[in-house]
Coordinates of all heavy atoms in Angstrom, one line a residue:
M17 N 83.9 -40.2 -88.8 CA 83.6 -38.9 -89.3 C 82.1 -38.7 -89.2 O 81.3 -39.5 -89.7 CB 84.1 -38.9 -90.8 CG 83.8 -37.6 -91.5 SD 84.7 -37.6 -93.1 CE 83.3 -37.8 -94.2
S18 N 81.7 -37.6 -88.6 CA 80.3 -37.3 -88.4 C 80.0 -36.1 -89.2 O 80.7 -35.0 -89.1 CB 80.1 -37.1 -86.9 OG 78.7 -36.7 -86.7
I19 N 78.9 -36.2 -90.0 CA 78.6 -35.0 -90.8 C 77.2 -34.6 -90.4 O 76.2 -35.4 -90.3 CB 78.5 -35.4 -92.3 CG1 79.9 -35.8 -92.8 CG2 78.0 -34.3 -93.2 CD1 80.0 -36.4 -94.2
K20 N 77.0 -33.3 -90.1 CA 75.7 -32.8 -89.7 C 74.9 -32.4 -90.9 O 75.3 -31.5 -91.6 CB 75.9 -31.6 -88.7 CG 74.7 -30.9 -88.3 CD 73.9 -31.7 -87.4 CE 72.7 -30.9 -86.9 NZ 71.4 -31.5 -86.9
L21 N 73.8 -33.1 -91.1 CA 72.9 -32.8 -92.2 C 71.5 -32.3 -91.5 O 71.2 -32.7 -90.5 CB 72.6 -33.9 -93.1 CG 73.8 -34.6 -93.8 CD1 73.4 -35.8 -94.6 CD2 74.4 -33.5 -94.7
F22 N 70.8 -31.4 -92.3 CA 69.5 -30.9 -91.8 C 68.5 -32.0 -92.2 O 68.2 -32.1 -93.4 CB 69.2 -29.6 -92.4 CG 70.2 -28.5 -92.0 CD1 71.1 -28.0 -92.9 CD2 70.2 -28.0 -90.8 CE1 72.0 -27.1 -92.6 CE2 71.1 -27.0 -90.4 CZ 72.0 -26.5 -91.3
T23 N 67.9 -32.7 -91.3 CA 67.0 -33.7 -91.6 C 65.6 -33.5 -90.9 O 64.5 -33.8 -91.5 CB 67.5 -35.1 -91.3 OG1 67.8 -35.1 -89.9 CG2 68.7 -35.4 -92.1
N24 N 65.6 -33.1 -89.7 CA 64.4 -33.0 -88.9 C 63.7 -31.7 -89.1 O 62.7 -31.4 -88.4 CB 64.7 -33.3 -87.4 CG 65.2 -34.7 -87.2 OD1 64.8 -35.6 -88.0 ND2 65.9 -34.8 -86.2
E25 N 64.2 -30.8 -89.8 CA 63.7 -29.4 -90.0 C 63.0 -29.2 -91.3 O 62.8 -28.1 -91.7 CB 64.9 -28.4 -89.8 CG 65.6 -28.6 -88.5 CD 66.8 -27.7 -88.4 OE1 66.9 -26.7 -89.2 OE2 67.7 -27.9 -87.6
L26 N 62.6 -30.2 -92.0 CA 61.9 -30.1 -93.2 C 60.4 -29.8 -92.9 O 59.8 -30.5 -92.2 CB 62.0 -31.4 -94.1 CG 63.4 -31.8 -94.5 CD1 63.4 -33.2 -95.2 CD2 64.1 -30.7 -95.2
S27 N 60.0 -28.8 -93.6 CA 58.6 -28.4 -93.4 C 57.8 -28.7 -94.7 O 58.3 -29.0 -95.7 CB 58.5 -26.9 -93.2 OG 58.9 -26.1 -94.3
A28 N 56.5 -28.6 -94.6 CA 55.6 -28.9 -95.7 C 55.6 -27.8 -96.8 O 55.3 -27.9 -97.9 CB 54.2 -29.2 -95.3
V29 N 56.0 -26.6 -96.3 CA 56.1 -25.4 -97.2 C 57.4 -25.3 -97.7 O 58.4 -25.4 -97.0 CB 55.7 -24.2 -96.3 CG1 55.7 -23.0 -97.3 CG2 54.3 -24.3 -95.7
Y30 N 57.6 -25.1 -99.0 CA 58.8 -25.0 -99.7 C 59.2 -23.5 -99.6 O 58.7 -22.7 -100.4 CB 58.8 -25.3 -101.1 CG 58.5 -26.8 -101.3 CD1 57.3 -27.3 -101.7 CD2 59.5 -27.7 -101.0 CE1 57.1 -28.7 -101.9 CE2 59.3 -29.1 -101.1 CZ 58.1 -29.6 -101.6 OH 57.9 -30.9 -101.6
D31 N 60.0 -23.2 -98.6 CA 60.4 -21.8 -98.4 C 61.9 -21.7 -98.6 O 62.7 -22.7 -98.8 CB 60.0 -21.3 -97.0 CG 60.5 -22.2 -95.9 OD1 61.2 -23.2 -96.2 OD2 60.1 -21.9 -94.8
A32 N 62.4 -20.5 -98.6 CA 63.8 -20.1 -98.8 C 64.7 -20.8 -97.7 O 65.8 -21.4 -98.1 CB 64.0 -18.6 -98.8
P33 N 64.4 -20.8 -96.5 CA 65.3 -21.4 -95.5 C 65.4 -23.0 -95.8 O 66.5 -23.5 -95.7 CB 64.7 -21.2 -94.2 CG 63.8 -20.0 -94.3 CD 63.3 -20.0 -95.7
L34 N 64.3 -23.6 -96.1 CA 64.4 -25.0 -96.5 C 65.2 -25.3 -97.7 O 66.1 -26.2 -97.7 CB 62.9 -25.6 -96.7 CG 62.9 -27.0 -97.2 CD1 63.4 -28.0 -96.2 CD2 61.5 -27.4 -97.7
R35 N 65.1 -24.4 -98.6 CA 65.9 -24.6 -99.8 C 67.4 -24.4 -99.5 O 68.2 -25.2 -100.0 CB 65.5 -23.5 -100.9 CG 66.3 -23.5 -102.2 CD 65.7 -22.5 -103.2 NE 66.3 -22.7 -104.5 CZ 67.5 -22.2 -104.8 NH1 68.3 -21.6 -103.9 NH2 68.0 -22.4 -106.0
Q36 N 67.7 -23.5 -98.7 CA 69.1 -23.3 -98.2 C 69.7 -24.5 -97.5 O 70.8 -24.9 -97.7 CB 69.3 -22.0 -97.4 CG 69.4 -20.7 -98.2 CD 70.4 -20.8 -99.3 OE1 70.2 -20.8 -100.4 NE2 71.7 -20.9 -98.9
M37 N 68.8 -25.1 -96.6 CA 69.2 -26.3 -95.9 C 69.5 -27.4 -96.8 O 70.5 -28.1 -96.7 CB 68.2 -26.7 -94.8 CG 68.1 -25.7 -93.7 SD 67.1 -26.4 -92.3 CE 65.5 -26.2 -93.0
L38 N 68.6 -27.6 -97.8 CA 68.8 -28.7 -98.8 C 70.1 -28.5 -99.6 O 70.9 -29.4 -99.8 CB 67.6 -28.8 -99.7 CG 66.4 -29.3 -99.0 CD1 65.2 -29.3 -100.0 CD2 66.6 -30.8 -98.5
I39 N 70.3 -27.2 -100.0 CA 71.5 -26.9 -100.8 C 72.8 -27.2 -99.9 O 73.7 -27.8 -100.4 CB 71.5 -25.4 -101.3 CG1 70.5 -25.3 -102.4 CG2 72.9 -25.0 -101.7 CD1 70.2 -23.8 -102.7
S40 N 72.7 -26.8 -98.7 CA 73.8 -27.1 -97.8 C 74.1 -28.5 -97.6 O 75.2 -29.0 -97.6 CB 73.5 -26.4 -96.4 OG 74.5 -26.7 -95.5
N41 N 73.0 -29.3 -97.5 CA 73.1 -30.8 -97.4 C 73.8 -31.3 -98.6 O 74.8 -32.1 -98.5 CB 71.8 -31.5 -97.3 CG 71.2 -31.4 -95.8 OD1 71.8 -30.9 -94.9 ND2 70.0 -31.8 -95.7
F42 N 73.5 -30.9 -99.7 CA 74.1 -31.4 -101.0 C 75.5 -31.0 -101.1 O 76.4 -31.7 -101.6 CB 73.3 -31.0 -102.2 CG 72.0 -31.8 -102.4 CD1 70.8 -31.2 -102.3 CD2 72.0 -33.2 -102.6 CE1 69.6 -31.9 -102.5 CE2 70.9 -33.9 -102.8 CZ 69.7 -33.3 -102.7
E43 N 75.8 -29.7 -100.6 CA 77.2 -29.3 -100.7 C 78.1 -30.1 -99.7 O 79.2 -30.5 -100.1 CB 77.3 -27.9 -100.3 CG 76.8 -26.9 -101.4 CD 76.7 -25.5 -100.9 OE1 76.8 -25.2 -99.7 OE2 76.5 -24.6 -101.8
I44 N 77.6 -30.5 -98.5 CA 78.2 -31.3 -97.6 C 78.5 -32.7 -98.2 O 79.6 -33.2 -98.1 CB 77.5 -31.4 -96.2 CG1 77.5 -30.0 -95.5 CG2 78.1 -32.4 -95.3 CD1 76.6 -29.9 -94.4
I45 N 77.4 -33.3 -98.8 CA 77.6 -34.6 -99.4 C 78.5 -34.6 -100.5 O 79.4 -35.5 -100.6 CB 76.2 -35.1 -99.8 CG1 75.2 -35.4 -98.6 CG2 76.3 -36.3 -100.7 CD1 73.8 -35.6 -99.0
R46 N 78.5 -33.6 -101.3 CA 79.5 -33.5 -102.4 C 80.9 -33.4 -101.9 O 81.8 -34.1 -102.4 CB 79.1 -32.2 -103.3 CG 80.1 -32.1 -104.5 CD 80.0 -30.7 -105.0 NE 80.5 -29.8 -104.1 CZ 80.1 -28.6 -104.0 NH1 79.1 -28.1 -104.8 NH2 80.5 -27.8 -103.0
D47 N 81.2 -32.6 -100.9 CA 82.5 -32.4 -100.4 C 83.0 -33.7 -99.7 O 84.2 -34.1 -100.0 CB 82.5 -31.3 -99.3 CG 82.3 -29.9 -99.9 OD1 82.4 -29.8 -101.2 OD2 82.0 -29.0 -99.2
A48 N 82.1 -34.4 -99.0 CA 82.5 -35.7 -98.4 C 82.8 -36.7 -99.5 O 83.7 -37.5 -99.4 CB 81.4 -36.2 -97.5
F49 N 82.0 -36.8 -100.5 CA 82.2 -37.7 -101.6 C 83.5 -37.4 -102.4 O 84.2 -38.3 -102.7 CB 81.0 -37.6 -102.6 CG 81.0 -38.7 -103.7 CD1 80.8 -40.0 -103.3 CD2 81.2 -38.4 -105.0 CE1 80.8 -41.0 -104.3 CE2 81.2 -39.4 -105.9 CZ 81.0 -40.7 -105.6
D50 N 83.7 -36.2 -102.6 CA 85.0 -35.8 -103.2 C 86.2 -36.2 -102.4 O 87.2 -36.7 -102.9 CB 85.1 -34.3 -103.5 CG 84.2 -33.8 -104.6 OD1 83.7 -34.7 -105.4 OD2 83.9 -32.6 -104.7
E51 N 86.1 -36.1 -101.1 CA 87.2 -36.5 -100.2 C 87.4 -38.0 -100.2 O 88.5 -38.5 -100.3 CB 86.8 -36.0 -98.7 CG 88.0 -36.4 -97.8 CD 87.6 -35.9 -96.3 OE1 86.8 -35.1 -96.2 OE2 88.3 -36.4 -95.4
V52 N 86.2 -38.7 -100.3 CA 86.4 -40.2 -100.4 C 87.0 -40.6 -101.7 O 87.9 -41.5 -101.7 CB 85.0 -40.9 -100.2 CG1 84.9 -42.3 -100.6 CG2 84.4 -40.7 -98.8
L53 N 86.6 -40.0 -102.7 CA 87.2 -40.3 -104.1 C 88.7 -39.9 -104.1 O 89.5 -40.7 -104.6 CB 86.5 -39.5 -105.2 CG 85.1 -40.1 -105.5 CD1 84.5 -39.1 -106.6 CD2 85.1 -41.5 -106.0
G54 N 89.1 -38.8 -103.4 CA 90.5 -38.5 -103.4 C 91.3 -39.5 -102.5 O 92.4 -39.9 -102.9
N55 N 90.7 -39.9 -101.4 CA 91.4 -41.0 -100.6 C 91.5 -42.3 -101.4 O 92.5 -43.0 -101.3 CB 90.6 -41.2 -99.3 CG 90.7 -40.0 -98.4 OD1 91.6 -39.2 -98.5 ND2 89.8 -39.9 -97.4
Q56 N 90.5 -42.6 -102.2 CA 90.5 -43.8 -102.9 C 91.6 -43.8 -104.0 O 92.3 -44.7 -104.1 CB 89.2 -44.1 -103.6 CG 89.0 -45.3 -104.3 CD 87.6 -45.5 -105.0 OE1 86.9 -44.5 -105.2 NE2 87.4 -46.7 -105.4
A57 N 91.8 -42.6 -104.6 CA 92.8 -42.5 -105.6 C 94.2 -42.6 -104.9 O 95.1 -43.3 -105.5 CB 92.7 -41.2 -106.3
A58 N 94.4 -42.0 -103.8 CA 95.6 -42.0 -103.1 C 95.9 -43.5 -102.6 O 97.1 -43.9 -102.7 CB 95.6 -41.1 -101.8
L59 N 94.9 -44.2 -102.2 CA 95.1 -45.6 -101.8 C 95.5 -46.5 -102.9 O 96.4 -47.3 -102.8 CB 93.9 -46.2 -101.1 CG 93.6 -45.7 -99.7 CD1 92.3 -46.2 -99.2 CD2 94.7 -46.1 -98.8
K60 N 94.9 -46.2 -104.1 CA 95.2 -47.0 -105.3 C 96.7 -46.7 -105.7 O 97.4 -47.7 -106.0 CB 94.3 -46.7 -106.4 CG 94.5 -47.5 -107.6 CD 93.2 -47.6 -108.4 CE 93.3 -48.6 -109.5 NZ 93.1 -50.0 -109.1
Q61 N 97.1 -45.5 -105.6 CA 98.5 -45.2 -105.9 C 99.5 -45.9 -104.9 O 100.5 -46.4 -105.4 CB 98.7 -43.7 -105.9 CG 100.1 -43.2 -106.2 CD 100.6 -43.6 -107.6 OE1 99.8 -43.6 -108.5 NE2 101.9 -44.0 -107.7
Q62 N 99.1 -45.8 -103.7 CA 100.0 -46.5 -102.7 C 100.0 -48.0 -102.9 O 101.0 -48.6 -102.8 CB 99.5 -46.2 -101.3 CG 99.7 -44.8 -100.9 CD 99.1 -44.4 -99.5 OE1 98.3 -45.2 -99.0 NE2 99.4 -43.2 -99.1
Q63 N 98.9 -48.6 -103.3 CA 98.9 -50.0 -103.6 C 99.8 -50.4 -104.8 O 100.5 -51.3 -104.8 CB 97.5 -50.5 -104.0 CG 96.6 -50.7 -102.7 CD 95.1 -51.0 -103.1 OE1 94.7 -50.7 -104.2 NE2 94.4 -51.7 -102.3
N64 N 99.7 -49.5 -105.8 CA 100.6 -49.7 -107.0 C 102.1 -49.6 -106.6 O 102.9 -50.4 -107.0 CB 100.3 -48.7 -108.1 CG 99.0 -49.0 -108.8 OD1 98.4 -50.1 -108.7 ND2 98.4 -48.0 -109.3
T65 N 102.4 -48.7 -105.7 CA 103.8 -48.5 -105.3 C 104.2 -49.7 -104.5 O 105.3 -50.3 -104.7 CB 103.9 -47.3 -104.4 OG1 103.5 -46.1 -105.1 CG2 105.3 -47.1 -103.9
I66 N 103.3 -50.2 -103.6 CA 103.7 -51.4 -102.8 C 103.9 -52.6 -103.7 O 104.8 -53.4 -103.5 CB 102.6 -51.7 -101.8 CG1 102.6 -50.6 -100.7 CG2 102.7 -53.1 -101.2 CD1 101.4 -50.7 -99.7
K67 N 103.1 -52.8 -104.7 CA 103.2 -53.9 -105.7 C 104.6 -53.8 -106.4 O 105.2 -54.8 -106.7 CB 102.1 -53.9 -106.7 CG 100.8 -54.4 -106.1 CD 99.7 -54.4 -107.1 CE 98.3 -54.9 -106.4 NZ 97.2 -54.7 -107.3
Q68 N 105.0 -52.6 -106.8 CA 106.2 -52.4 -107.5 C 107.4 -52.8 -106.6 O 108.3 -53.4 -107.0 CB 106.4 -51.0 -108.0 CG 105.5 -50.6 -109.2 CD 105.5 -49.1 -109.5 OE1 106.1 -48.3 -108.8 NE2 104.9 -48.8 -110.6
V69 N 107.3 -52.4 -105.3 CA 108.4 -52.7 -104.3 C 108.4 -54.2 -104.1 O 109.5 -54.8 -104.1 CB 108.1 -51.9 -103.0 CG1 109.0 -52.4 -101.9 CG2 108.3 -50.4 -103.2
Q70 N 107.2 -54.8 -104.0 CA 107.2 -56.3 -103.8 C 107.9 -57.0 -105.0 O 108.7 -58.0 -104.8 CB 105.8 -56.8 -103.7 CG 105.2 -56.5 -102.4 CD 103.7 -56.9 -102.2 OE1 103.0 -57.0 -103.3 NE2 103.3 -57.3 -101.1
T71 N 107.6 -56.6 -106.2 CA 108.1 -57.2 -107.4 C 109.7 -57.0 -107.4 O 110.4 -57.9 -107.7 CB 107.5 -56.5 -108.7 OG1 106.1 -56.7 -108.7 CG2 108.1 -57.1 -110.0
T72 N 110.1 -55.8 -107.0 CA 111.6 -55.5 -107.0 C 112.3 -56.4 -105.9 O 113.3 -57.0 -106.2 CB 111.8 -54.0 -106.6 OG1 111.2 -53.2 -107.7 CG2 113.3 -53.7 -106.6
I73 N 111.6 -56.5 -104.8 CA 112.2 -57.4 -103.7 C 112.2 -58.8 -104.2 O 113.3 -59.5 -104.0 CB 111.4 -57.2 -102.4 CG1 111.6 -55.8 -101.8 CG2 111.8 -58.3 -101.4 CD1 110.7 -55.5 -100.7
K74 N 111.2 -59.3 -104.8 CA 111.2 -60.7 -105.2 C 112.3 -60.9 -106.3 O 112.9 -62.0 -106.3 CB 109.8 -61.1 -105.8 CG 108.7 -61.3 -104.8 CD 107.4 -61.6 -105.5 CE 106.3 -61.7 -104.5 NZ 105.0 -62.0 -105.1
S75 N 112.5 -60.0 -107.2 CA 113.5 -60.1 -108.2 C 114.9 -60.1 -107.5 O 115.7 -60.9 -107.9 CB 113.3 -58.9 -109.2 OG 114.4 -59.0 -110.1
D76 N 115.1 -59.2 -106.6 CA 116.4 -59.1 -105.8 C 116.6 -60.5 -105.1 O 117.8 -60.9 -105.1 CB 116.4 -58.0 -104.8 CG 116.4 -56.6 -105.6 OD1 116.7 -56.6 -106.8 OD2 116.2 -55.6 -104.9
I77 N 115.6 -61.0 -104.4 CA 115.8 -62.3 -103.7 C 116.2 -63.4 -104.7 O 117.0 -64.2 -104.4 CB 114.5 -62.6 -102.9 CG1 114.4 -61.7 -101.7 CG2 114.6 -64.1 -102.4 CD1 113.1 -61.8 -101.0
K78 N 115.5 -63.4 -105.9 CA 115.8 -64.5 -106.8 C 117.3 -64.4 -107.4 O 118.0 -65.4 -107.4 CB 114.9 -64.3 -108.1 CG 115.1 -65.4 -109.1 CD 114.1 -65.2 -110.2 CE 114.3 -66.3 -111.3 NZ 113.5 -66.1 -112.4
V79 N 117.7 -63.1 -107.6 CA 119.1 -62.9 -108.0 C 120.1 -63.3 -106.9 O 121.1 -64.0 -107.2 CB 119.3 -61.4 -108.4 CG1 120.8 -61.1 -108.6 CG2 118.6 -61.1 -109.7
Q80 N 119.7 -63.0 -105.7 CA 120.6 -63.4 -104.5 C 120.6 -64.8 -104.4 O 121.8 -65.4 -104.2 CB 120.0 -62.7 -103.3 CG 120.9 -63.0 -102.1 CD 120.2 -62.4 -100.8 OE1 119.1 -62.0 -100.8 NE2 120.9 -62.4 -99.7
D81 N 119.5 -65.5 -104.6 CA 119.6 -67.0 -104.5 C 120.4 -67.6 -105.6 O 121.1 -68.6 -105.4 CB 118.1 -67.6 -104.5 CG 117.3 -67.3 -103.3 OD1 118.0 -67.0 -102.2 OD2 116.1 -67.4 -103.3
E82 N 120.2 -67.1 -106.8 CA 121.1 -67.6 -107.9 C 122.5 -67.3 -107.7 O 123.4 -68.2 -107.9 CB 120.6 -66.9 -109.2 CG 119.2 -67.3 -109.7 CD 118.7 -66.5 -110.9 OE1 119.4 -65.5 -111.3 OE2 117.6 -66.8 -111.4
N83 N 122.9 -66.2 -107.2 CA 124.3 -65.9 -106.9 C 124.8 -66.8 -105.8 O 126.0 -67.3 -105.9 CB 124.4 -64.4 -106.4 CG 124.3 -63.5 -107.6 OD1 124.4 -63.9 -108.8 ND2 124.0 -62.2 -107.3
M84 N 124.0 -67.1 -104.8 CA 124.5 -67.9 -103.7 C 124.7 -69.4 -104.2 O 125.7 -70.0 -103.9 CB 123.4 -68.0 -102.6 CG 123.8 -68.8 -101.4 SD 125.3 -68.1 -100.6 CE 124.7 -66.5 -100.0
Q85 N 123.8 -69.8 -105.1 CA 124.0 -71.1 -105.7 C 125.2 -71.2 -106.5 O 126.0 -72.2 -106.5 CB 122.8 -71.5 -106.5 CG 122.8 -72.9 -107.1 CD 122.9 -74.0 -105.9 OE1 122.1 -74.0 -105.0 NE2 123.9 -74.9 -106.0
Q86 N 125.5 -70.2 -107.3 CA 126.7 -70.1 -108.1 C 128.0 -70.1 -107.2 O 129.0 -70.8 -107.5 CB 126.7 -68.9 -109.0 CG 125.8 -69.0 -110.2 CD 125.7 -67.7 -111.0 OE1 126.4 -66.7 -110.7 NE2 125.0 -67.7 -112.1
L87 N 127.9 -69.4 -106.1 CA 129.0 -69.4 -105.1 C 129.3 -70.8 -104.6 O 130.4 -71.2 -104.5 CB 128.7 -68.4 -104.1 CG 129.8 -68.2 -103.0 CD1 131.2 -67.8 -103.6 CD2 129.4 -67.3 -102.0
V88 N 128.2 -71.5 -104.2 CA 128.3 -72.8 -103.6 C 128.9 -73.7 -104.7 O 129.8 -74.6 -104.4 CB 127.0 -73.3 -103.1 CG1 127.0 -74.8 -102.9 CG2 126.6 -72.6 -101.9
N89 N 128.5 -73.6 -106.0 CA 129.0 -74.5 -107.0 C 130.5 -74.2 -107.3 O 131.3 -75.1 -107.4 CB 128.2 -74.2 -108.4 CG 126.8 -74.7 -108.3 OD1 126.4 -75.5 -107.4 ND2 126.0 -74.2 -109.2
I90 N 130.9 -72.9 -107.2 CA 132.3 -72.6 -107.4 C 133.1 -73.2 -106.2 O 134.2 -73.8 -106.4 CB 132.5 -71.1 -107.5 CG1 132.0 -70.5 -108.7 CG2 134.0 -70.7 -107.3 CD1 131.9 -69.0 -108.8
L91 N 132.6 -73.0 -105.0 CA 133.4 -73.6 -103.9 C 133.5 -75.1 -103.9 O 134.4 -75.7 -103.5 CB 132.8 -73.1 -102.6 CG 132.9 -71.6 -102.2 CD1 132.1 -71.2 -101.0 CD2 134.3 -71.2 -102.1
S92 N 132.4 -75.7 -104.3 CA 132.3 -77.2 -104.5 C 133.4 -77.6 -105.5 O 134.0 -78.7 -105.3 CB 131.0 -77.7 -104.9 OG 130.0 -77.4 -103.8
D93 N 133.5 -76.9 -106.6 CA 134.6 -77.2 -107.6 C 136.0 -77.2 -107.0 O 136.9 -77.9 -107.6 CB 134.5 -76.2 -108.8 CG 133.2 -76.4 -109.6 OD1 132.5 -77.4 -109.5 OD2 132.9 -75.5 -110.4
Y94 N 136.2 -76.4 -106.0 CA 137.5 -76.4 -105.4 C 137.5 -77.3 -104.1 O 138.3 -77.1 -103.2 CB 137.9 -75.0 -105.0 CG 138.2 -74.1 -106.2 CD1 137.2 -73.3 -106.7 CD2 139.4 -74.2 -106.8 CE1 137.5 -72.5 -107.8 CE2 139.7 -73.4 -107.9 CZ 138.7 -72.6 -108.4 OH 139.0 -71.8 -109.5
D95 N 136.7 -78.3 -104.1 CA 136.7 -79.3 -103.0 C 136.5 -78.8 -101.6 O 137.0 -79.3 -100.6 CB 137.9 -80.2 -103.0 CG 138.0 -81.0 -104.4 OD1 137.0 -81.4 -104.9 OD2 139.2 -81.3 -104.8
I96 N 135.7 -77.7 -101.6 CA 135.3 -77.1 -100.3 C 134.0 -77.7 -100.0 O 133.0 -77.6 -100.7 CB 135.3 -75.6 -100.3 CG1 136.7 -75.0 -100.6 CG2 134.7 -75.1 -99.0 CD1 136.7 -73.5 -100.8
P97 N 133.8 -78.5 -98.8 CA 132.6 -79.2 -98.5 C 131.5 -78.2 -98.1 O 131.4 -77.8 -96.9 CB 133.0 -80.2 -97.4 CG 134.2 -79.5 -96.8 CD 134.8 -78.8 -97.9
I98 N 130.7 -77.8 -99.0 CA 129.6 -76.8 -98.7 C 128.4 -77.1 -99.5 O 128.5 -77.5 -100.7 CB 130.2 -75.4 -99.0 CG1 129.3 -74.3 -98.3 CG2 130.4 -75.1 -100.4 CD1 129.9 -73.0 -98.3
Q99 N 127.3 -76.8 -98.9 CA 126.0 -76.9 -99.8 C 125.0 -76.1 -99.1 O 125.1 -75.6 -98.0 CB 125.6 -78.4 -99.8 CG 125.2 -79.0 -98.5 CD 124.8 -80.4 -98.6 OE1 124.8 -81.0 -99.7 NE2 124.5 -81.1 -97.4
I100 N 123.8 -75.9 -99.8 CA 122.7 -75.1 -99.3 C 121.7 -76.1 -98.8 O 121.2 -77.0 -99.5 CB 122.1 -74.2 -100.4 CG1 123.1 -73.2 -100.9 CG2 120.9 -73.5 -99.9 CD1 122.7 -72.3 -102.0
I101 N 121.3 -76.0 -97.5 CA 120.3 -76.8 -96.9 C 119.3 -75.8 -96.3 O 119.7 -75.0 -95.4 CB 121.0 -77.7 -95.8 CG1 121.9 -78.7 -96.4 CG2 119.8 -78.5 -95.1 CD1 122.7 -79.5 -95.5
D102 N 118.0 -76.0 -96.6 CA 117.0 -75.1 -96.1 C 117.3 -73.7 -96.3 O 117.0 -72.9 -95.4 CB 116.7 -75.5 -94.6 CG 116.2 -76.9 -94.4 OD1 115.4 -77.3 -95.3 OD2 116.5 -77.5 -93.4
G103 N 117.9 -73.3 -97.4 CA 118.2 -71.9 -97.7 C 119.4 -71.4 -97.0 O 119.7 -70.1 -97.0
K104 N 120.1 -72.2 -96.3 CA 121.3 -71.8 -95.6 C 122.6 -72.5 -96.1 O 122.5 -73.7 -96.4 CB 121.2 -72.0 -94.1 CG 120.1 -71.3 -93.4 CD 120.0 -71.7 -92.0 CE 118.8 -71.0 -91.3 NZ 118.6 -71.3 -89.9
V105 N 123.6 -71.8 -96.2 CA 124.9 -72.4 -96.7 C 125.5 -73.1 -95.4 O 125.7 -72.5 -94.4 CB 125.9 -71.3 -97.2 CG1 127.2 -71.9 -97.6 CG2 125.3 -70.6 -98.4
T106 N 125.8 -74.4 -95.6 CA 126.4 -75.1 -94.5 C 127.6 -75.9 -95.0 O 127.7 -76.3 -96.1 CB 125.4 -76.1 -93.9 OG1 124.9 -77.0 -94.9 CG2 124.2 -75.4 -93.3
R107 N 128.5 -76.1 -94.0 CA 129.7 -77.0 -94.4 C 129.2 -78.4 -94.2 O 128.4 -78.8 -93.4 CB 130.8 -76.7 -93.4 CG 131.4 -75.3 -93.6 CD 132.6 -75.2 -92.6 NE 133.7 -76.1 -93.1 CZ 134.8 -75.6 -93.7 NH1 134.8 -74.4 -94.0 NH2 135.7 -76.5 -94.0
T108 N 129.7 -79.3 -95.1 CA 129.4 -80.7 -95.0 C 130.7 -81.5 -94.8 O 131.8 -81.0 -95.0 CB 128.8 -81.2 -96.3 OG1 129.7 -81.0 -97.4 CG2 127.5 -80.5 -96.6
E109 N 130.5 -82.7 -94.3 CA 131.6 -83.5 -94.0 C 132.0 -84.2 -95.4 O 131.2 -84.3 -96.3 CB 131.3 -84.6 -93.0 CG 131.0 -84.1 -91.7 CD 132.1 -83.4 -91.0 OE1 133.3 -83.9 -91.1 OE2 131.9 -82.4 -90.3
E110 N 133.2 -84.6 -95.5 CA 133.7 -85.2 -96.7 C 132.8 -86.5 -97.0 O 132.5 -87.2 -96.1 CB 135.2 -85.7 -96.5 CG 136.2 -84.6 -96.5 CD 136.4 -84.0 -97.8 OE1 136.3 -84.6 -98.8 OE2 136.7 -82.7 -97.8
G111 N 132.4 -86.6 -98.2 CA 131.7 -87.7 -98.7 C 130.1 -87.6 -98.6 O 129.4 -88.5 -98.9
E112 N 129.6 -86.4 -98.1 CA 128.2 -86.3 -98.0 C 127.6 -85.8 -99.3 O 128.2 -85.1 -100.0 CB 127.9 -85.3 -96.9 CG 127.9 -85.9 -95.5 CD 127.3 -84.9 -94.5 OE1 126.4 -84.1 -94.8 OE2 127.9 -84.8 -93.4

């Protein structure tokens, strides 16, 4: 983003055109600063949304893992040779 400010046109005499250029510079700076602050607020809101989604996903994964373990336990109770190895449900041979 390139912002054009009046910098090389400053004279030693304080006249009306110089005053207008300085006022214009401050208005440009103020507008750019307001835009930066607005973007910062939007980014913070997006970060909060992402954190909430991450928390929800982690919770869902935990519930899914617990459900999978309960399923394996139920199947094991019925003598079905199954277990979880490295996060995957696998069949096992009798006696493992």
Side-chain angles (χ1 to χ4, degrees):
M17 176 169 108
S18 178
I19 298 174
K20 174 71 174 130
L21 299 176
F22 300 104
T23 56
N24 297 331
E25 300 173 19
L26 299 177
S27 65
V29 178
Y30 295 107
D31 54 4
L34 173 65
R35 183 176 185 280
Q36 278 307 115
M37 285 188 292
L38 291 173
I39 289 171
S40 174
N41 281 352
F42 285 116
E43 289 173 348
I44 291 169
I45 291 169
R46 181 198 61 215
D47 293 344
F49 189 68
D50 287 344
E51 184 178 341
V52 168
L53 289 177
N55 290 341
Q56 184 180 19
L59 285 174
K60 187 154 186 81
Q61 179 61 34
Q62 289 173 351
Q63 284 176 333
N64 290 338
T65 301
I66 289 170
K67 286 179 183 176
Q68 289 174 352
V69 169
Q70 284 177 330
T71 302
T72 301
I73 289 171
K74 286 179 183 178
S75 175
D76 290 348
I77 289 172
K78 183 179 178 184
V79 169
Q80 182 182 11
D81 289 344
E82 290 171 355
N83 288 343
M84 186 62 66
Q85 184 61 50
Q86 289 176 357
L87 180 61
V88 167
N89 293 342
I90 290 169
L91 292 174
S92 295
D93 289 343
Y94 289 100
D95 295 327
I96 298 174
I98 192 169
Q99 64 181 359
I100 297 177
I101 299 175
D102 295 327
K104 297 178 182 177
V105 177
T106 58
R107 292 184 69 102
T108 59
E109 296 298 320
E110 291 286 331
E112 281 188 35

